[in-house]
Amino acid sequence: MSSAPTDSSARGVTPETDWAVLEGWDRAYYLHAVQAQAEFAYLPIERTDGNYLVLPDGSRLLDFQSQLISDSMGHRHPRVHAEIVRAMERYGHVFFGLATDYRARAAKLVIEDALAGEEWAGRVRILASGSEAVENSLAMARHFTGRPVILTQEHSYHGLTMGTTRLRGYRGQLSPVDDARASRDIPGFPGGGIVEIPAPEFHDYEGPRPLPSLEQTRAIIEDVGPERIAGVITEAMFGAAGLLPPDDYLVGLRELSREYDFLWIAVEVLTGFGRLGEWFGYQCYPGIEPDLMVIGKGLNGCALPCGAVVTRKDIGEWFERARWWSGSTHDAHPLVCASIVGNIEAMLADDVIGTVKRLGAYLERNLRAMTARHACVGRVSGKGMYYAVDLVGDDGRPIVPDDRSTLFLGELSNHPNNVIAQECAARGVFLGGFVPNTIKVAPPFTISEAEIDVGLDVFDSALTELAGRATRG
Ligand SMILES: Cc1ncc(COP(=O)(O)O)c(C=O)c1O
C-alpha cells in the first residue's frame, strides 16, 4: 500500500490525538478478554499497512503471524479494499431474505473457483464469524443425520461461544418440507452431545500403525454407539495448538467416519484459502473430501468479520427442501460478500497458491536452518506458510510442562511464547504463540523473501535471548 498517505492528519488522525487519553478510555471502558484488566498490555496500532502494523510513533511491526493466522493477504489489500469501497457506494445492510449481486458472486467464487474440480461441494452459507459458522455446522450435522453426538479432537480450537441455541427462544428447529406441520429440534438440543477423541500424534511420529490415536477413537466410537454420532469435527493443522498430524491421520479418520457412517466436518477456518499450500488443508491428503467444511479468516483475509459453511451437494439440497429456522441479521452482509469477492478474485488473479508454495518452501528451508542452531527448539512442523516451533528445556521436554493442556494459570509473562513475543516486538516483528511452548510462524502471503529474512533474523535473536534467560535462571 505504498500509495497510502503517510501524513497523519491526512489519515484522519489529528496531530492532537493523544494516545495516553485513548489508553485511559480503553482501559476504563472496554471489556478486555484473555488478559485481566490489571495485566492488560496496551499496544496501540494507528493503522495497518500491507505486511505491517503501524504504531502511533510511526514505528512498524512486520506481521510475521498474520495477526491470528488470519490476515493472509496482508493488511488492506488494494483489491479487497477497492471492492469494499465500491460496494459501499451502493450498499449498507441487506438482510438474508433479500438478494445481492455480491452474495451470488461470493458463493460462485467459493464453490466454482476456490473449490474448482471438487465435485462434493454444493452450497455455501456466509455468516458473521468462524465461531458462528462452526455452530451452524454442528446444527447442520445433527439435523441432517438426526443424531446428537459430535466427536471433537483434544487440543482443538473452534471458537469461544456457548451454543446460543441452548438459550431458548427460536431454537434452530427444522420442518421438513414434506411435513411442514412437523417441528424437529436440533438432535441433542439442549444437551451437550460433545465427546472428545484423542489429539493426533505429531507429524514426526514414527511408531506403529494403525495410529494409536485412531485406535482409541475407534474404541470411543464403539463405546458411544455409532448410531448416536452425527459427525466428527477436525482441524487439518491445529490453529491454537500448532499441531500437524501425521500424513495418514486425516485419511484414517475419514475412513472411520465412512466405516461407521457419520459426517466429517472439516474446519478450515485457519487452514483454508492457501495457508497449507493448497486451497484447503484437506487437499494436502489424497482421496478425501469432507461432508461439511467451515471456512473463515482467509476467506476474505479478515477485512471484515466473516465465516461460512460449505455443504456436500446432497446436504445442501436437503436443507433447501426444509424450513430451517436459522439466520442472523448479519448473514451474507453485502460488504462482507464484497470483501470475499475482492479477496478470492485477487487470489486467483495473482496465483496466490503458487506463491504460497514457492515462498513457503523458502520460509521452511530457512526456518529449519535457523532453528537447528537452537537447542531450545524441539520440533518444527508445518506446511505452506504455517509452521509451529515447539520449545523445549535442557531435558528435551516442553518448558512449561502443561504444554498444550495449559489452563493459562499463574504468571504468564515468562512463558516462552510471551518471552518470544516481547523480544520480537522490541525488534520490530509481530510473532508469538497461544499455548506456552509453541511459536507460530505464519506470515501473510504478500510477504517478500527479504521480509522473511528479517522475520527469521529477529526470531533467531529472540530464541537466543530465551535460552540466555533460562541459563541466567
Ligand atoms: C479452527 C478454528 N475454528 C474456529 C475458529 C473461530 O473463528 P472466529 O475467531 O472467526 O470466530 C478459529 C479461530 O481461530 C479456528 O482457528
Side-chain angles (χ1 to χ4, degrees):
M1 296 235 115
S2 51
S3 60
T6 49
D7 170 57
S8 59
S9 58
R11 292 193 304 264
V13 178
T14 65
E16 300 80 40
T17 300
D18 184 337
W19 284 91
V21 171
L22 296 170
E23 176 175 355
W25 291 346
D26 196 83
R27 287 190 179 281
Y29 304 126
Y30 193 73
L31 203 163
H32 305 277
V34 179
Q35 294 171 326
Q37 178 66 27
E39 62 187 0
F40 179 67
Y42 185 73
L43 180 60
I45 301 300
E46 190 260 328
R47 72 197 156 97
T48 58
D49 188 2
N51 300 323
Y52 295 88
L53 308 171
V54 185
L55 278 58
D57 65 3
S59 60
R60 288 145 59 97
L61 292 175
L62 174 65
D63 189 352
F64 215 42
Q65 197 191 275
S66 308
Q67 288 201 54
L68 297 175
I69 319 184
S70 49
D71 306 1
S72 304
M73 296 284 276
H75 304 293
R76 294 191 298 123
H77 188 282
R79 214 159 156 160
V80 180
H81 191 93
E83 202 60 70
I84 297 171
V85 169
R86 241 192 315 275
M88 284 173 72
E89 293 302 322
R90 286 194 293 129
Y91 287 126
H93 175 236
V94 178
F95 96 105
F96 59 82
L98 308 170
T100 66
D101 52 336
Y102 278 116
R103 184 174 74 185
R105 288 173 65 192
K108 184 265 179 192
L109 280 161
V110 169
I111 302 293
E112 273 191 25
D113 299 297
L115 280 158
E118 299 287 289
E119 288 303 316
W120 67 272
R123 289 171 188 267
V124 60
R125 177 150 189 231
I126 298 170
L127 301 144
S129 70
S131 306
E132 200 187 328
V134 168
E135 294 240 18
N136 263 259
S137 74
L138 302 186
M140 288 169 119
R142 286 169 163 164
H143 267 315
F144 182 74
T145 60
R147 304 174 193 162
V149 175
I150 301 287
L151 304 180
T152 185
Q153 300 161 299
E154 179 191 12
H155 299 326
S156 62
Y157 177 85
H158 294 296
L160 294 168
T161 58
M162 265 289 285
T164 49
T165 51
R166 292 183 194 175
L167 302 176
R168 300 286 162 171
Y170 298 103
R171 43 214 254 185
Q173 78 272 18
L174 179 134
S175 300
V177 144
D178 55 9
D179 189 4
R181 290 176 176 280
S183 174
R184 295 210 302 248
D185 271 338
I186 299 171
F189 175 91
I194 303 289
V195 172
E196 188 176 277
I197 58 172
E201 293 72 14
F202 287 100
H203 184 253
D204 52 7
Y205 170 83
E206 289 175 345
R209 276 12 191 213
L211 292 167
S213 60
L214 292 179
E215 287 295 273
Q216 289 163 33
T217 299
R218 179 187 289 281
I220 291 169
I221 294 167
E222 296 278 357
D223 196 39
V224 170
E227 70 288 351
R228 297 184 60 236
I229 300 174
V232 61
I233 187 163
T234 64
E235 291 184 85
M237 176 162 171
F238 288 41
L243 193 167
L244 180 68
D247 285 346
D248 47 343
Y249 173 77
L250 262 190
V251 176
L253 193 58
R254 182 48 164 160
E255 272 168 22
L256 283 179
S257 82
R258 288 218 189 280
E259 181 182 337
Y260 288 101
D261 190 27
F262 53 79
L263 301 183
W264 173 30
I265 309 169
V267 178
E268 299 262 4
V269 169
L270 183 142
T271 50
F273 292 87
R275 184 52 68 183
L276 300 186
E278 301 292 343
W279 274 97
F280 300 98
Y282 77 84
Q283 295 168 329
C284 296
Y285 307 102
I288 53 170
E289 47 194 36
D291 300 304
L292 295 170
M293 182 171 77
V294 184
I295 48 181
K297 299 200 193 227
L299 172 58
N300 68 348
C302 289
L304 290 167
C306 88
V309 186
V310 178
T311 69
R312 206 175 70 194
K313 279 199 170 92
D314 60 315
I315 298 179
E317 292 308 323
W318 190 85
F319 275 94
E320 289 290 316
R321 283 184 283 107
R323 185 185 295 156
W324 181 27
W325 275 88
S326 170
S328 153
T329 308
H330 304 283
D331 283 8
H333 191 292
L335 302 184
V336 170
C337 291
S339 68
I340 294 171
V341 167
N343 190 59
I344 299 180
E345 285 186 348
M347 289 188 72
L348 292 166
D350 299 345
D351 182 25
V352 166
I353 303 300
T355 302
V356 172
K357 287 188 201 295
R358 182 180 55 76
L359 273 181
Y362 182 86
L363 173 63
E364 178 173 17
R365 190 170 61 248
N366 290 294
L367 175 67
R368 287 192 185 280
M370 183 277 282
T371 52
R373 298 194 294 271
H374 290 275
C376 66
V377 173
R379 175 187 291 107
V380 176
S381 34
K383 288 178 186 296
M385 295 273 274
Y386 177 21
Y387 295 90
V389 179
D390 289 338
L391 303 172
V392 294
D394 291 341
D395 57 0
R397 302 177 69 82
I399 297 170
V400 177
D402 292 347
D403 196 34
R404 290 171 167 87
S405 302
T406 185
L407 291 175
F408 304 99
L409 304 178
E411 179 55 50
L412 302 181
S413 63
N414 49 20
H415 277 191
N417 61 323
N418 292 325
V419 171
I420 295 290
Q422 286 156 21
E423 293 299 327
C424 285
R427 294 169 173 82
V429 169
F430 182 77
L431 174 69
F434 182 66
V435 293
N437 303 303
T438 305
I439 306 304
K440 295 185 290 188
V441 178
F445 308 156
T446 45
I447 199 166
S448 66
E449 289 186 1
E451 288 169 323
I452 289 177
D453 294 346
V454 170
L456 291 179
D457 279 352
V458 165
F459 187 18
D460 191 7
S461 305
L463 287 169
T464 303
E465 174 62 27
L466 179 76
R469 284 197 194 189
T471 315
R472 293 194 295 272

